[in-house]
Amino acid sequence: MPYLRQTLIYVILMTLVVVASNILVQYPLSGTLFGINLGDLLTWGAFTYPIAFLVTDLTNRQFGPSIARRVVLAGFVVGVTLSFWTSLPRIAIASGTAYLVGQLLDISVFNRLRRQSWWRAPLAGSMFGSVLDTALFFSIAFAASFAFIGPNDAFAIENAPILGIFSLEAPRWMSWALGDLTVKVVVGLVLLLPYGALMNTLKPMPPVRSV
């Protein structure tokens, strides 16, 4: 396969992002900001995972949706397998499910918009993918109703003020999900900069014929 070397780089990058995010999502932020307990709002994984959408979108731009799906699948198999060694099984299952569904949605949306303004495809793909990924991951990983997959995290299901500021309380993982999605949106916007900068370097390649 003529593109093996290039796609292998994307697979490695994707694997690193997935494994790092699976580890970091188990660690809430510490400290307070404007009186808000950050541990009620965010985990460190929120800052690393959006890079997966950048890797997917760059692959999709350069090689097309077929190769992008292969990279996502390879990252899924390797990343989730390693995640069983670096994080709790329930986290690994939640991450794998959310990752696969979210990334495939990103590829589909990106491909539909790829001929429009350069920023629309990566932005829309990452936004739609992030919403679905966040909903799936935090529900499977922390919601009490998914305890059949693995033991509940007592801290995650404990009631706390929503987003750490409202009087209404809900399980802490819901605030994590909202905070996580907010960070993903912000990071997704920021990652348009490296995407735009790499556009002239990573130009679309001729399609690869199926074998």
Side-chain angles (χ1 to χ4, degrees):
M1 180 177 179
Y3 302 146
L4 179 60
R5 183 175 179 180
Q6 296 97 318
T7 55
L8 182 59
I9 294 174
Y10 285 124
V11 170
I12 293 172
L13 289 173
M14 188 69 81
T15 300
L16 291 174
V17 171
V18 171
V19 174
S21 299
N22 286 352
I23 296 173
L24 294 174
V25 77
Q26 300 174 83
Y27 296 95
L29 271 65
S30 59
T32 60
L33 180 66
F34 302 118
I36 301 173
N37 183 358
L38 295 178
D40 291 337
L41 187 60
L42 283 173
T43 69
W44 286 104
F47 297 92
T48 57
Y49 187 77
I51 300 173
F53 291 102
L54 174 63
V55 175
T56 298
D57 291 342
L58 289 174
T59 308
N60 201 348
R61 170 178 168 74
Q62 190 173 10
F63 298 111
S66 179
I67 297 297
R69 292 188 189 98
R70 295 182 194 180
V71 170
V72 165
L73 183 59
F76 167 79
V77 173
V78 178
V80 172
T81 299
L82 292 177
S83 294
F84 274 100
W85 294 90
T86 58
S87 59
L88 297 173
R90 183 172 174 179
I91 297 294
I93 293 171
S95 174
T97 303
Y99 162 84
L100 189 59
V101 176
Q103 295 297 320
L104 290 178
L105 177 61
D106 176 27
I107 291 171
S108 177
V109 172
F110 184 101
N111 202 46
R112 286 178 177 272
L113 302 177
R114 68 188 308 136
R115 298 188 184 280
Q116 298 186 18
S117 300
W118 71 269
W119 54 268
R120 288 186 179 179
L123 182 61
S126 63
M127 293 302 105
F128 280 104
S130 292
V131 170
L132 185 57
D133 174 275
T134 300
L136 286 174
F137 173 77
F138 282 92
S139 296
I140 297 172
F142 299 116
S145 57
F146 283 91
F148 63 91
I149 298 177
N152 287 323
D153 182 323
F155 186 70
I157 62 175
E158 183 181 47
N159 281 346
I162 295 178
L163 296 177
I165 55 176
F166 295 104
S167 58
L168 183 64
E169 293 190 347
R172 190 173 276 108
W173 68 266
M174 292 186 178
S175 291
W176 289 349
L178 292 172
D180 179 270
L181 181 59
T182 300
V183 170
K184 284 178 179 175
V185 170
V186 173
V187 175
L189 290 170
V190 172
L191 289 179
L192 285 176
L193 297 177
Y195 178 89
L198 290 170
M199 282 183 63
N200 292 328
T201 301
L202 303 177
K203 295 182 179 180
M205 304 284 284
V208 180
R209 291 190 305 171
S210 300
V211 294

